[in-house]
Every structure is written in C-alpha cells, then in structure tokens.
Amino acid sequence: MDRMTTIKGSLEVCVLSILYKKRSYGYEIMKELEKFNIKLKGVGSIYPILTRIKEKNLVNVMKEFAEDERPRVYYELNEEGINFLRSEMKEWYDIQHDIHSLLSQKASDLKEEEYER
C-alpha cells in the first residue's frame, strides 16, 4: 500500500488539526507534518492544501513580517474550521473503525506480526 496515496485524502484534516493547536505558516506546517512521517513532495506542495482550506473559509489568514523583514502568511483555524475538523474527525474514526472491523473478521487468520512495523 502506498502510504502517501492513503494519506493524501486526509491532508486537509491533518493540516487543520495542526492549526487547531496554534496558528502557523506553510513551512512550519510542513515541518509539523514531517514529525508524524507525513512528507510532502516539496516545499510548495503545502500551498494548494492551504489555498483549499482558505477558499472553504476554514481559516483566517494574516500577513506579518518576520524578523528578517520577509512577509510570512499565517493561517489560523476559525470557528467554521473547528466545526469542519470535528465533523471530519468523526468521519475518519468511523471509517477507521469500519475498516478495522472488516479486516479483523475477514483476515483474522493472518498473523499481526507479519504486517506490523
């Protein structure tokens, strides 16, 4: 199973969960994803995700200048984003439960050690 293909459909909710804890800018979000072994293809690949969540009005966007006077765009989860994240997390856990149930019932004769890291 290709890990990134599996994760790809969940990237928005992953980014929103990072923003739930604190406002962040693109590169900082990428670094946080990498801590959980979610590696995007390049630095620019976070921005389409951020654009989508911005267009859905899930975040507030602020431009500030860093100490080196470069502009930095910060994303902050708003109330609509929190509600969306809550809904998406419920859906994620429901799907995860259903898949786990199916695998447990239909492939229970396989040894766990064979597919654990």
Side-chain angles (χ1 to χ4, degrees), residues 55-67:
E55 289 173 351
K56 291 178 181 179
N57 296 314
L58 304 176
V59 293
N60 299 325
V61 181
M62 296 142 280
K63 189 183 227 179
E64 295 180 10
F65 289 91
E67 290 179 14

Side-chain angles (χ1 to χ4, degrees), residues 11-68:
L11 281 173
E12 282 184 22
V13 75
C14 292
V15 169
L16 292 173
S17 68
I18 290 168
L19 295 174
Y20 179 72
K21 289 294 182 184
K22 71 173 200 147
R23 73 186 191 120
S24 298
Y25 55 94
Y27 184 74
E28 186 175 44
I29 294 167
M30 276 192 61
K31 287 301 177 189
E32 193 65 28
L33 288 169
E34 288 176 3
K35 289 180 185 177
F36 295 90
N37 204 24
I38 301 172
K39 295 178 175 73
L40 301 178
K41 290 185 179 183
V43 177
S45 55
I46 189 71
Y47 295 103
I49 299 163
L50 292 170
T51 298
R52 281 195 307 271
I53 64 175
K54 177 183 168 187
E55 289 173 351
K56 291 178 181 179
N57 296 314
L58 304 176
V59 293
N60 299 325
V61 181
M62 296 142 280
K63 189 183 227 179
E64 295 180 10
F65 289 91
E67 290 179 14
D68 61 3

Side-chain angles (χ1 to χ4, degrees), residues 90-108:
K90 181 187 179 321
E91 184 69 20
W92 170 256
Y93 287 119
D94 288 347
I95 291 168
Q96 184 181 27
H97 175 268
D98 295 343
I99 291 171
H100 183 273
S101 294
L102 183 141
L103 294 176
S104 295
Q105 289 179 20
K106 301 300 179 185
S108 61

Side-chain angles (χ1 to χ4, degrees), residues 69-112:
E69 298 186 19
R70 290 184 315 174
R72 192 171 274 165
V73 178
Y74 284 90
Y75 299 84
E76 181 177 60
L77 199 61
N78 60 29
E79 194 64 36
E80 193 170 337
I82 292 170
N83 292 333
F84 181 83
L85 176 59
R86 184 177 289 121
S87 172
E88 290 295 301
M89 286 178 62
K90 181 187 179 321
E91 184 69 20
W92 170 256
Y93 287 119
D94 288 347
I95 291 168
Q96 184 181 27
H97 175 268
D98 295 343
I99 291 171
H100 183 273
S101 294
L102 183 141
L103 294 176
S104 295
Q105 289 179 20
K106 301 300 179 185
S108 61
D109 60 328
L110 293 176
K111 294 179 183 173
E112 284 188 16

